[in-house]
Amino acid sequence: MLLRDKLQSDPGFQYIIDALNLISAAGRRALLDFPFLTTPETVNAELDNLKTVIGVVSVMENLHTVSEIKHHLMCLHDSQGTVANLSQHSVINEVELFEVKNIAYTAAAVSRSAEPLGLKEIFSLPDLSDVFSLLDPDNTGLPHFYIYDSYHPDLPDIRKRLKQLQARTDDPEAATLYADLFAQHNDIQHSVEAKLSQQLWASADRLALAVKRLAYIDLLFAKAGLASAWNFTRPQITPSNQQQAEDPQAIKQADNQAFTQYKGLFNPRLLHRNQEHRLRYQPIDIIVHPGLCLITGANMAGKTVLLKTLGIAQLLTQFGMYVPAESATVTLVDDVIFCIGDEQNEMNGLSSFASEIIKISEVVQLSASQRLLILIDEPARTTNPVEGKAIVQALSDILISRDSFSLITTHYSQLGVPCRRLRIAGFREDLANATLSPENINLFMDYSLVEDNSDTVPQEALRIATLLRCDESLIQKALQHLKNQ
Amino acid sequence: MPFLKNILSSRSLSIVGLEKNTGKTVCLNYVLRRLHELGVSTAVTSIGVDGEQTDSVYATAKPEVTMYEGMYLITSERHYLQRRCVSEILDLSNQRTALGRLLTARILSSGKALISGAAATAILADQISRFKQQGIQLTVIDGALSRLSLASPTVTDSMILATGAAVSPNLQQLISKTRFVCRLIDLPEVEPAIRTALSQATSGLWALDSDGLAHDLNIPSVFMLSSANSDLFRYGTTLFASGAVSDRLLKILAAKEEIKQITLIIRDFTKLFVTPEVYNDFVRRGGSLMALRKSHLAAVTLNPTSPHGYALDSHTATQALSDALNLPVYDVMKIEQ
């Protein structure tokens, strides 16, 4: 599974990925091809590299050298095709030879700048000085390229004669001579291109590696820049239970240790929108364990946002990035499944209920063999409440004993499922008499989570409808109906 | 040595043709040769891809451009590989054209090359400013078929207009069509203070009051304007159209009672898409037009031969056009003499 497969899973995730300031096309590709990491070793190795780069970037004195590296990356061309041509033992033309020289030049320049920053090891760029020398026969040290005179003994003379003839192309005889001579000149150029290509075939792998590493460096800087700018934090990774696989006691112990906890978790997209509108934003604290947790709360209390933000933080962690929180401890999962209700896909001819139930069925099957982070927003809300409630109960029965982290938001009461319940605090009663409006509602909401032992859900739908200046007669009639029940 | 001194003070020059086969490339070759002789450091590129080696519209040969030692060239990968000169690649951009990526090269030994370039004026403007930073004295841009936009003063400092029998084999029509374009190019420029006042006006229609303050008339596009808009002049009769202006706006304004007081300011002549009839009517009724920035027309060249084989008499035609425009006009085919 690659990052490109997860890009569409949530707009808030895409918002963060889009904010990564990648300089090169290769870096952009490295981002999209970044694998979903599932072992603590790989995630920690990635986060270690990121931490080192963040450390370097945050030192004022390093900024000049850092921008030097970025400048070199900016000059990197999209040379994937050229390197592929070389590894297939094709003859490449002078534009492609220029690209190869450019890769060698950039790798050397970045490596040189990395040294005083102590990043040379993390960058681990292959040495391509032989490639550069081959393409720089006159030792100019510059990344420019043409078929230099020194590549062929006949070139200097032929070029001299061409120059003389060019001066008198008005003379038809000279023009013919010029055309012939230029054809000859091009033949020599092609033979040089063929010879150089052959000499470069053996270096194709090293060139490919250099492009890959340079792209990775671009990505590391982008991740580091974003983490610093948006106040992200490094997640601690809980040890995996596979390490002590032989010892059943140890597995049990590791399972007990499995939890994911965030302090001050925030959703960057929402935070930025609120900041733009000068609105308050309340980060949240949460701890989740394997098994099922039901999330309840009034409408507009932020249940969906909570699910989405948990999913985003998990994805970021496993794509080797810092997370939007004050502190975080994360247990790795095999996949993050969003089932957030915008699943309706008219193009597939599926109703919202159909696509939801298909996804839920997938979750049930997958979670039998994998540890997942399952985020389901108000399952079965688009069908009749009798069957809908039964579906939620059945789903809960299954997920409660699974190894996955399952979070389900619901408005159904009396589900009778013996699982953990978290309620979003909702309206601050101390401010109950204040004048509320749709614009200032978030001033009067407490978005923090409280453990809830009751099996009932808050009933504040009509109150919120009133706040939203819903039609008076509608509300009065609804209240009447409630009374009659 | 006609018109070269008109060019030397500018940092960028566009060569635009009123039609295909008006002798743009001949003119470009002449300019490049003269610049080379004068030792002016020069870069050359083009807007978009102007056909292949043979002109795709009339299948006449598309002449290659002669580039001289030390000049800089931006062209596409494909055209670069077809060049007949010795040159060194300096840079490769990630912008793709139909003919591959654009690359920058320096000519090491004179010879011929085909030139293609970026299709967007914004990219051109960026390339020009980069050449400027590198100390290149003049960047020359070869225009493409009916693309006047690159002659906008926001892109190039000065321009050469190529016209000829290809525009019309009838001399009177050729003169009238060319004169109309020249008149638009030559619209008077506003005072710098007005330019400053209007710098915030990036969209829609604006008005300038008697104190020189700009007011948004809250008409998002002049295309949404109708003759029913009665309070157009609530701040005065000096208006500024930030975007394109078509016949429609001129017609609406020409029908107003206040027409004699109206001054319409446009960004530059490339934003004006009007027919001669409507323009003339607007002016005849007393309306005046001004430009935020004026283009510097360095020269008008004439190709007396049309691609259909029709030829005007060179001497008569250049003389007549020159009298009509009140500008020197050069026959591109005789320019060398």
Side-chain angles (χ1 to χ4, degrees):
Chain A
M1 191 172 18
L2 306 177
L3 190 136
R4 68 170 80 242
D5 305 317
K6 285 287 162 192
L7 206 52
Q8 309 292 333
S9 44
D10 176 67
F13 178 61
Q14 199 162 1
Y15 176 80
I16 296 169
I17 297 303
D18 286 346
L20 287 170
N21 182 18
L22 287 156
I23 294 164
S24 63
R28 186 89 208 152
R29 202 163 37 236
L31 166 72
L32 294 175
D33 288 342
F34 203 88
F36 186 76
L37 305 170
T38 49
T39 65
E41 297 73 42
T42 51
V43 173
N44 277 323
E46 200 51 45
L47 294 175
D48 284 344
N49 285 352
L50 187 53
K51 186 184 168 199
T52 311
V53 172
I54 290 174
V56 165
V57 179
S58 57
V59 177
M60 217 39 175
E61 287 75 45
N62 291 338
L63 285 187
H64 179 70
T65 319
V66 168
S67 66
E68 229 171 60
I69 293 179
K70 287 187 178 169
H71 174 77
H72 289 309
L73 291 171
M74 212 179 285
C75 299
L76 185 69
H77 307 118
D78 193 3
S79 308
Q80 210 184 20
T82 303
V83 175
N85 284 344
L86 271 186
S87 50
Q88 286 158 14
H89 292 195
S90 305
V91 170
I92 60 175
N93 66 30
E94 53 176 318
V95 178
E96 294 171 302
L97 286 166
F98 167 78
E99 290 184 72
V100 169
K101 188 176 183 180
N102 180 261
I103 295 170
Y105 179 86
T106 310
V110 171
S111 224
R112 232 178 1 253
S113 301
E115 192 143 32
L117 301 178
L119 293 175
K120 207 173 169 187
E121 207 167 309
I122 290 179
F123 286 5
S124 64
L125 283 156
D127 177 31
L128 290 168
S129 48
D130 54 329
V131 171
F132 190 79
S133 306
L134 178 68
L135 298 176
D136 191 32
D138 298 350
N139 292 317
T140 61
L142 295 169
H144 306 164
F145 184 75
Y146 77 109
I147 304 296
Y148 294 89
D149 284 3
S150 37
Y151 279 133
H152 197 281
D154 294 347
L155 269 180
D157 181 54
I158 216 168
R159 282 178 175 162
K160 209 162 108 194
R161 277 160 56 208
L162 277 172
K163 197 169 178 176
Q164 286 160 357
L165 286 170
Q166 165 67 29
R168 42 189 204 96
T169 38
D170 294 340
D171 172 5
E173 202 184 331
T176 320
L177 274 175
Y178 182 85
D180 288 349
L181 202 56
F182 207 90
Q184 216 177 318
H185 171 260
N186 280 0
D187 285 346
I188 296 178
Q189 283 222 34
H190 290 319
S191 72
V192 172
E193 284 168 2
K195 204 173 108 198
L196 289 174
S197 302
Q198 266 172 31
Q199 284 171 285
L200 287 169
W201 288 343
S203 313
D205 288 348
R206 262 189 306 147
L207 283 163
L209 178 65
V211 172
K212 205 174 148 191
R213 296 304 301 172
L214 287 168
Y216 175 68
I217 293 163
D218 188 6
L219 181 55
L220 261 185
F221 274 110
K223 284 177 174 180
L226 189 76
S228 314
W230 287 8
N231 289 322
F232 284 11
T233 189
R234 176 180 179 158
Q236 302 305 312
I237 309 300
T238 61
S240 83
N241 53 9
Q242 275 130 17
Q243 285 165 328
Q244 310 99 341
E246 294 88 41
D247 182 1
Q249 193 61 38
I251 291 177
K252 194 139 198 222
Q253 208 179 344
D255 256 354
N256 289 336
Q257 284 168 6
F259 66 96
T260 290
Q261 179 171 28
Y262 299 99
K263 284 215 163 70
L265 179 69
F266 61 94
N267 186 319
R269 184 160 169 250
L270 215 59
L271 173 71
H272 295 158
R273 196 206 62 186
N274 280 14
Q275 280 172 344
E276 203 176 293
H277 294 93
R278 297 175 192 285
L279 295 172
R280 187 183 71 107
Y281 185 90
Q282 183 185 350
I284 39 175
D285 301 341
I286 187 171
I287 178 166
V288 285
H289 302 281
L292 177 65
C293 177
L294 290 175
I295 312 271
T296 61
N299 295 82
M300 294 192 77
K303 296 188 295 296
T304 311
V305 170
L306 171 66
L307 291 192
K308 288 181 166 199
T309 312
L310 284 170
I312 291 169
Q314 189 81 32
L315 286 175
L316 289 174
T317 304
Q318 299 198 240
F319 286 121
M321 295 172 70
Y322 279 21
V323 295
E326 249 168 61
S327 72
T329 307
V330 176
T331 296
L332 302 182
V333 295
D334 295 315
D335 198 356
V336 181
I337 313 270
F338 288 84
C339 190
I340 309 270
D342 359 277
E343 308 291 335
Q344 183 163 16
N345 195 338
E346 284 123 349
M347 299 309 283
N348 287 344
L350 292 177
S351 70
S352 44
F353 178 73
S355 45
E356 183 189 35
I357 208 74
I358 288 170
K359 192 104 183 216
I360 285 177
S361 143
E362 240 175 64
V363 163
V364 167
Q365 286 165 3
L366 275 177
S367 65
S369 56
Q370 295 186 354
R371 170 173 274 174
L372 309 170
L373 173 60
I374 300 167
L375 305 161
I376 308 179
D377 192 27
E378 298 178 37
R381 70 178 176 290
T382 52
T383 188
N384 68 73
V386 179
E387 285 178 291
K389 189 171 168 184
I391 291 173
V392 177
Q393 283 169 323
L395 179 65
S396 305
D397 286 344
I398 293 171
L399 291 180
I400 199 165
S401 56
R402 294 271 154 96
D403 202 18
S404 294
F405 295 85
S406 303
L407 290 110
I408 297 181
T409 65
T410 186
H411 283 294
Y412 289 124
S413 288
Q414 319 295 335
L415 287 174
V417 185
C419 71
R420 182 172 174 228
R421 284 179 170 73
L422 282 175
R423 181 168 53 81
I424 297 184
F427 279 109
R428 294 172 55 184
E429 294 304 330
D430 52 320
L431 295 168
N433 297 323
T435 325
L436 300 191
S437 74
E439 289 75 35
N440 72 2
I441 192 162
N442 87 332
L443 280 177
F444 305 100
M445 276 284 186
D446 180 357
Y447 294 96
S448 57
L449 292 158
V450 286
E451 300 282 346
D452 190 353
N453 298 321
S454 73
D455 199 9
T456 55
V457 298
Q459 296 191 332
E460 293 181 299
L462 283 176
R463 184 170 172 190
I464 300 209
T466 314
L467 280 180
L468 293 172
R469 301 192 193 113
C470 182
D471 186 81
E472 188 67 28
S473 59
L474 180 73
I475 290 172
Q476 286 312 320
K477 280 197 193 304
L479 284 171
Q480 196 61 45
H481 279 294
L482 268 183
K483 224 178 194 176
N484 295 347
Q485 280 168 21
Chain B
M1 187 202 73
F3 69 78
L4 242 287
K5 63 177 189 308
N6 284 344
I7 295 167
L8 291 180
S9 56
S10 31
R11 300 298 303 269
S12 51
L13 167 74
S14 55
I15 301 181
V16 293
L18 269 187
E19 259 302 334
K20 262 227 144 350
N21 288 293
T22 44
K24 222 160 29 73
T25 313
V26 181
C27 177
L28 176 61
N29 271 326
Y30 166 75
V31 169
L32 293 185
R33 189 173 62 75
R34 297 294 299 133
L35 289 171
H36 171 63
E37 284 164 8
L38 292 170
V40 177
S41 64
T42 308
V44 184
T45 187
S46 152
I47 184 157
V49 178
D50 196 9
E52 255 85 272
Q53 208 152 2
T54 51
D55 182 317
S56 51
V57 183
Y58 290 118
T60 54
K62 178 183 162 70
E64 292 164 303
V65 175
T66 305
M67 297 287 303
Y68 299 88
E69 220 169 298
M71 283 187 174
Y72 291 79
L73 165 72
I74 290 182
T75 192
S76 66
E77 243 172 312
R78 180 108 57 93
H79 279 166
Y80 184 75
L81 292 172
Q82 290 172 10
R83 78 201 184 282
R84 289 192 294 144
C85 59
V86 182
S87 58
E88 163 182 48
I89 306 173
L90 306 182
D91 191 23
L92 190 61
S93 92
N94 289 325
Q95 281 138 7
R96 285 182 183 279
T97 71
L99 295 172
R101 291 168 292 183
L102 295 177
L103 55 80
T104 311
R106 183 170 50 219
I107 310 298
L108 299 173
S109 179
S110 310
K112 288 180 172 160
L114 285 166
I115 301 174
S116 41
T121 47
I123 297 176
L124 273 180
D126 182 55
Q127 288 168 346
I128 292 170
S129 80
R130 230 173 315 154
F131 278 133
K132 256 190 218 173
Q133 280 167 19
Q134 288 164 15
I136 309 282
Q137 246 171 291
L138 182 64
T139 303
V140 183
I141 296 169
D142 187 18
L145 181 60
S146 49
R147 286 290 292 272
L148 282 175
S149 61
L150 80 151
S152 159
T154 58
V155 183
T156 50
D157 301 343
S158 59
M159 66 182 285
I160 293 175
L161 182 69
T163 184
V167 176
S168 166
N170 176 313
L171 183 60
Q172 282 319 308
Q173 261 186 31
L174 162 66
I175 289 174
S176 118
K177 280 186 179 173
T178 310
R179 184 171 48 198
F180 177 60
V181 174
C182 287
R183 204 168 274 167
L184 301 189
I185 295 169
D186 204 36
L187 286 178
E189 194 172 67
V190 298
E191 299 284 314
I194 294 181
R195 199 149 55 220
T196 316
L198 288 171
S199 59
Q200 48 169 329
T202 49
S203 70
L205 196 60
W206 290 64
L208 276 180
D209 66 18
S210 50
D211 297 327
L213 292 174
H215 302 271
D216 192 349
L217 292 174
N218 291 317
I219 296 161
S221 158
V222 293
F223 296 103
M224 290 164 75
L225 192 69
S226 72
S227 40
N229 283 77
S230 53
D231 57 349
L232 222 45
F233 306 119
R234 58 186 185 272
Y235 298 108
T237 51
T238 305
L239 302 182
F240 171 62
S242 65
V245 170
S246 68
D247 279 353
R248 188 186 163 82
L249 178 63
L250 289 197
K251 272 188 191 162
I252 290 171
L253 293 179
K256 296 280 180 192
E257 256 174 58
E258 300 89 337
I259 179 66
K260 285 195 166 45
Q261 287 87 50
I262 293 177
T263 300
L264 177 65
I265 303 171
I266 57 167
R267 210 166 270 285
D268 61 61
F269 85 96
T270 63
K271 299 288 181 202
L272 215 46
F273 299 89
V274 295
T275 53
E277 296 72 33
V278 174
Y279 170 81
N280 288 335
D281 188 51
F282 177 81
V283 174
R284 198 175 42 77
R285 284 167 182 263
S288 43
L289 267 167
M290 290 182 94
L292 217 50
R293 281 197 185 277
K294 184 174 164 174
S295 299
H296 171 235
L297 182 59
V300 176
T301 66
L302 175 99
N303 179 5
T305 319
S306 94
H308 307 296
Y310 189 86
L312 295 164
D313 174 62
S314 165
H315 182 74
T316 323
T318 44
Q319 194 56 53
L321 190 59
S322 177
D323 290 346
L325 302 181
N326 204 13
L327 279 170
V329 174
Y330 307 93
D331 177 348
V332 274
M333 297 303 167
K334 292 185 178 168
I335 213 163
E336 302 276 349
Q337 292 150 23

